[in-house]
Amino acid sequence: MRAITASRANEMTIGKLSELAGVNIETIRYYERVKVLPTPLRTGSGRRVYRSADVRTLAFIRRARELGFSLDDIRALIRLGGPERASCREVRHIAAHHLGDIQGKIGDLRKLERLLARTVARCTGSIAPDCPVLDILDVRRFR
């Protein structure tokens, strides 16, 4: 744990950090445990203390998660040093990889949409043993 060395004027509690960044307190603790968010400073009594830079980092993490970036990708982006120091080439590489993943998922969803649309169209609404929707959900059919 890091000890406090700076003035108290820049310090805030985990609750204030949560409020300013729009992230749940338990999520903040989780991000600390999985080493996405740096370990916070602590008071002599062990209370977590955060700085304004932590708000920016946490807001960045929240937005990256909203865009579907993995925790590993977010760690890599943070390691690059932030917008003022990061190499656009390295950031582009991470983002391009993520874009490829998204495009793959969209393709899979389109296939799923077509399959389900055809199956629903075949469904007559009769009794369950003759239901095409239940047929595609039947696990025994795929063993």
Side-chain angles (χ1 to χ4, degrees), residues 65-81:
R65 293 297 290 157
E66 289 170 353
L67 294 173
F69 282 91
S70 71
L71 293 177
D72 287 338
D73 285 345
I74 294 169
R75 276 188 210 94
L77 290 167
I78 290 171
R79 271 194 307 274
L80 291 174

Side-chain angles (χ1 to χ4, degrees), residues 35-36 57 60-61 63-65 67-98:
K35 309 254 187 263
V36 176
T57 301
F60 175 87
I61 294 167
R63 184 65 179 139
R65 293 297 290 157
L67 294 173
F69 282 91
S70 71
L71 293 177
D72 287 338
D73 285 345
I74 294 169
R75 276 188 210 94
L77 290 167
I78 290 171
R79 271 194 307 274
L80 291 174
E84 63 280 348
R85 294 182 304 208
S87 157
C88 189
R89 178 179 296 163
E90 292 172 291
V91 171
R92 183 181 189 278
H93 175 75
I94 293 168
H97 182 265
H98 182 55

